[in-house]
Amino acid sequence: MSRPQLRRWGLLSSPPRGVPGLALLALLALRLAAGTDCPCPEPELCRPIRHHPDFEVFVFDVGQKTWKSYDWSQITTVATFGKYDSELMCYAHSKGARVVLKGDVSLKDIIDPAFRASWIAQKLNLAKTQYMDGINIDIEQEVNCLSPEYDALTALVKETTDSFHREIEGSQVTFDVAWSPKNIDRRCYNYTGIADACDFLFVMSYDEQSQIWSECIAAANAPYNQTLTGYNDYIKMSINPKKLVMGVPWYGYDYTCLNLSEDHVCTIAKVPFRGAPCSDAAGRQVPYKTIMKQINSSISGNLWDKDQQSPYYNYKDPAGHFHQVWYDNPQSISLKATYIQNYGLRGIGMWNANCLDYSGDAVPKQQTEEMWEVLKPKLLQR
Ligand SMILES: *[C@@H]1O[C@H](CO)[C@@H](O)[C@H](O)[C@H]1NC(C)=O
Ligand SMILES: *[C@@H]1O[C@H](CO)[C@@H](O)[C@H](O)[C@H]1NC(C)=O
Ligand SMILES: *[C@@H]1O[C@H](CO)[C@@H](O)[C@H](O)[C@H]1NC(C)=O
Ligand SMILES: *[C@@H]1O[C@H](CO)[C@@H](O)[C@H](O)[C@H]1NC(C)=O
């Protein structure tokens, strides 16, 4: 039964005074049976998605209404990291796309199995009441290889997947991992165990300068070779490529240069991170839309680094300081994305979809379309 029908019958307004208890109960039963809490125009849009696509396009959304301009012909999953938006859920379901929760938790708490159980129950309840299709577990905390957190994390992922799969038909449980399994940012996780325990891993192939061990200079957010080395290492540890979704950045880093040499080497401040002497924390993250607006006022124009296969440019701020901006564009992303077909990865995704310009103005509109376009599997593009 749809919501308008109930409203017509006057069942959604508060009951008149003096209605006998039995009638109230009957009314309650009727409402529950009809699923009248469903906020969608059609009640069937509240049903979880059961179809499993061959190719995943996994989109992170951080809020507002930009989702209305996304390329829904491609999207298979939206991980909602902003405020819950029932309109987004209804719309995604109408396009056959899943909507999943963000799952994050303090790792010292999950050593206790009872805590894990209650955390999972709470997330499951949230997913059900919001008619969602799963959860994306985003733990970016440090884990020591010999600590109790190491096994507790694998257990958390396994128990979350078991509960979601059991309670929400067709649901999806995914886990976000760093660009490489080699203890990046002191994250010693049981990657094979976690990959086995969930539907797939979202590989965050960005922030690859989070730990700079060599010279403290500005470099690409997701250099070509470094990115592909990460996937090779996941696959070498016998993780099935079908368990890996490639995450690409729709943002870049703006570094203030302590010195900018004539051959474009930008020396950056030493900001240590998890044991490394310097880090991309010396820079500032900027969305693609801001970068595209700034390029024309740069002093260098758009440059291309052949070693890292990445675009970048230099500009001077009003205070007279030089900056270097490293980012990804359709060219650098499509180079990396060919790996997906060559190695049979599960799909692609980005952090985050909100970073593009959806104003509809002619120049940004074209740039935005090109960014969505390169997500398409290469074989189908020809
Ligand atoms: C990883 O987790 C799996 C599943 O729990 C377990 O069998 C395996 O021994 C773990 N591997 C390591 C290196 O701890
Ligand atoms: C800083 O950049 C200038 C201009 O390219 C160069 O001449 C100088 O050697 C650089 N200084 C250092 C410390 O790298
Ligand atoms: C930047 O310059 C290019 C080439 O002159 C032009 O096509 C483009 O519209 C400009 N972009 C913006 C945002 O003004
Ligand atoms: C990138 O990897 C390829 C193949 O392994 C290698 O030939 C090339 O030299 C590497 N480039 C850089 C800049 O490391």
Side-chain angles (χ1 to χ4, degrees):
M1 192 181 296
S2 71
R3 200 175 171 90
Q5 234 167 340
L6 286 173
R7 187 170 287 123
R8 228 172 292 129
W9 297 350
L11 293 182
L12 286 187
S13 52
S14 45
R17 281 163 209 274
V19 168
L22 213 60
L24 259 178
L25 273 179
L27 182 134
L28 192 67
L30 188 65
R31 287 190 57 173
L32 283 176
T36 50
D37 285 337
C38 175
C40 305
E42 304 291 337
E44 57 267 33
L45 293 180
C46 279
R47 283 199 216 119
I49 301 296
R50 278 180 280 176
H51 163 75
H52 292 282
D54 294 332
F55 189 78
E56 273 288 341
V57 176
F58 195 97
V59 167
F60 283 94
D61 179 88
V62 298
Q64 290 108 38
K65 294 288 184 184
T66 46
W67 58 263
K68 292 190 174 183
S69 309
Y70 295 170
D71 180 358
W72 288 94
S73 70
Q74 296 195 60
I75 300 174
T76 55
T77 303
V78 185
T80 53
F81 276 36
K83 214 167 122 264
Y84 175 68
D85 180 350
S86 62
E87 199 192 351
L88 167 57
M89 178 277 293
C90 300
Y91 192 78
H93 282 183
S94 79
K95 300 291 179 184
R98 288 186 170 77
V99 180
V100 299
L101 279 176
K102 172 185 178 169
D104 78 1
V105 62
S106 160
L107 284 186
K108 64 178 193 320
D109 292 334
I110 63 157
I111 300 164
D112 175 10
F115 183 94
R116 289 203 297 272
S118 76
W119 184 83
I120 293 166
Q122 184 225 327
K123 293 295 169 195
L124 194 52
N125 184 51
L126 192 58
K128 282 181 176 175
T129 54
Q130 297 180 155
Y131 304 99
M132 297 174 83
D133 310 274
I135 187 166
N136 172 257
I137 304 174
D138 185 42
I139 310 277
E140 303 195 15
Q141 300 159 49
E142 209 173 308
V143 173
N144 186 297
C145 303
L146 301 172
S147 68
E149 284 91 337
Y150 178 88
D151 288 322
L153 181 56
T154 317
L156 177 81
V157 177
K158 173 98 181 88
E159 291 158 13
T160 304
T161 306
D162 289 347
S163 298
F164 270 75
H165 284 182
R166 189 177 57 237
E167 302 276 331
I168 303 176
E169 201 187 341
S171 63
Q172 178 200 79
V173 178
T174 57
F175 187 90
D176 301 336
V177 295
W179 63 270
S180 154
K182 295 194 167 168
N183 296 356
I184 300 306
D185 302 344
R186 289 186 180 151
R187 290 181 236 181
C188 183
Y189 300 172
N190 180 347
Y191 291 98
T192 50
I194 291 172
D196 281 343
C198 67
D199 291 306
F200 57 85
L201 304 177
F202 181 91
V203 184
M204 300 180 284
S205 298
Y206 40 73
D207 300 341
E208 296 183 25
Q209 311 302 336
S210 62
Q211 294 176 296
I212 303 174
W213 301 95
S214 50
E215 240 186 318
C216 293
I217 56 172
N221 189 9
Y224 178 80
N225 268 16
Q226 196 175 328
T227 297
L228 301 196
T229 303
Y231 290 93
N232 288 338
D233 289 342
Y234 278 110
I235 293 169
K236 264 190 238 153
M237 60 201 306
S238 67
I239 291 177
N240 185 333
K242 285 282 171 264
K243 286 265 182 171
L244 301 170
V245 164
M246 178 182 285
V248 299
W250 278 5
Y251 67 96
Y253 277 88
D254 177 331
Y255 293 96
T256 305
C257 308
L258 298 181
N259 192 45
L260 180 63
S261 75
E262 272 167 33
D263 50 356
H264 308 297
V265 176
C266 166
T267 314
I268 60 174
K270 287 192 168 64
V271 180
F273 186 68
R274 294 191 187 167
C278 40
S279 157
D280 55 19
R284 187 172 57 87
Q285 295 185 354
V286 245
Y288 185 70
K289 61 179 175 190
T290 309
I291 290 167
M292 294 320 278
K293 282 205 187 95
Q294 192 178 48
I295 285 182
N296 281 5
S297 59
S298 69
I299 52 173
S300 62
N302 202 22
L303 301 170
W304 179 264
D305 183 283
K306 280 209 197 76
D307 291 339
Q308 302 177 75
Q309 306 266 46
S310 170
Y312 70 106
Y313 61 88
N314 305 320
Y315 76 95
K316 199 173 181 178
D317 69 24
H321 298 120
F322 289 110
H323 291 243
Q324 191 164 76
V325 180
W326 289 86
Y327 66 104
D328 272 273
N329 65 5
Q331 191 184 352
S332 66
I333 292 171
S334 83
L335 282 170
K336 286 177 278 210
T338 54
Y339 187 93
I340 297 170
Q341 273 70 47
N342 293 345
Y343 287 81
L345 304 191
R346 174 83 157 242
I348 195 165
M350 86 298 289
W351 180 268
N352 61 65
N354 305 68
C355 288
L356 304 187
D357 189 324
Y358 299 102
S359 65
D361 298 340
V363 172
K365 186 168 192 276
Q366 170 83 24
Q367 290 162 348
T368 293
E369 279 169 12
E370 284 168 6
M371 287 292 269
W372 281 98
E373 194 62 27
V374 289
L375 303 177
K376 291 182 180 165
K378 294 290 173 290
L379 291 172
L380 300 176
Q381 228 170 31
R382 284 199 212 114

